[in-house]
Amino acid sequence: PQVASGGPNLNRCSSIFLIVLILLFSPNMVRADDQSTATDGGAPDPIGIYKEAGANEAQTQRIRLLADQLQSLNTDRAREIMALIRDIRNLSLQPDLNEKKLLADQNRINSLQATMASERIKLLIKIRQLLTPPQREKLVTLLRQRREAKSQ
């Protein structure tokens, strides 16, 4: 027998979880080690640190394009993870657990999360490659300064 959906509360929880997944794995992918800077007192600009490091308009446009592409892919991955989580929840409510299906779904979730993390690192590498050596040096200096400031 099919398990009824959790109704609006489950949908709201699922939506919140999807947003959390996306926040963890995709948006602001361009932030170097989660170091962004606020512009005009507003929300952090994920490209801000690259601009501070001297990235020109063409470089920042390319960084945004790469980040947007990854965000799109990771949004799809996050949706797939949510669907798998729903499947696992429904399967776990059955009297007789389908061990193969449960483990396969969990393995797929693990694989998607690992892919998202690896793709994030690949993006950071691509971004560094877009920068000139002096810009990379400046970026590293900025990152170190911000880490030191956070640790104090």
Side-chain angles (χ1 to χ4, degrees):
Q2 280 268 323
V3 175
S5 86
N9 287 337
L10 180 60
N11 289 337
R12 185 175 354 169
C13 289
S14 297
S15 297
I16 291 169
F17 188 72
L18 179 60
I19 291 167
V20 168
L21 281 174
I22 292 169
L23 287 173
L24 285 174
F25 295 108
S26 64
N28 300 325
M29 284 286 118
V30 298
R31 292 188 305 179
D33 300 312
D34 277 338
Q35 303 295 321
S36 59
T37 57
T39 55
D40 62 32
D45 177 9
I47 304 293
I49 195 162
Y50 300 105
K51 289 178 182 176
E52 284 182 62
N56 62 35
E57 186 62 30
Q59 288 169 314
T60 57
Q61 285 179 355
R62 180 74 177 137
I63 291 168
R64 283 188 201 280
L65 176 65
L66 290 170
D68 288 347
Q69 289 170 346
L70 182 58
Q71 184 170 344
S72 177
L73 288 172
N74 280 348
T75 299
D76 292 341
R77 290 176 181 132
R79 284 189 182 118
E80 185 177 349
I81 289 171
M82 280 303 304
L84 290 164
I85 290 170
R86 279 191 299 275
D87 288 349
I88 288 173
R89 273 195 207 132
N90 288 335
L91 287 169
S92 70
L93 295 175
Q94 301 300 317
D96 296 316
L97 295 177
N98 182 339
E99 184 178 339
K100 256 187 183 171
K101 175 71 171 135
L102 282 168
L103 291 174
D105 285 356
Q106 184 60 55
N107 287 335
R108 180 66 181 149
I109 289 169
N110 296 346
S111 173
L112 287 165
Q113 289 175 332
T115 298
M116 292 167 82
S118 294
E119 292 298 322
R120 180 179 185 275
I121 297 300
K122 287 178 185 177
L123 174 63
L124 292 176
I125 291 167
K126 286 179 186 176
I127 290 171
R128 290 278 178 104
Q129 291 171 342
L130 288 174
L131 300 174
T132 65
Q135 290 170 335
R136 287 193 294 262
E137 287 295 325
K138 177 71 173 175
L139 177 64
V140 169
T141 299
L142 291 168
L143 290 170
R144 284 186 180 137
Q145 289 171 348
R146 291 181 185 177
R147 282 190 187 155
E148 288 171 9
K150 275 189 172 183
S151 67
Q152 295 176 2

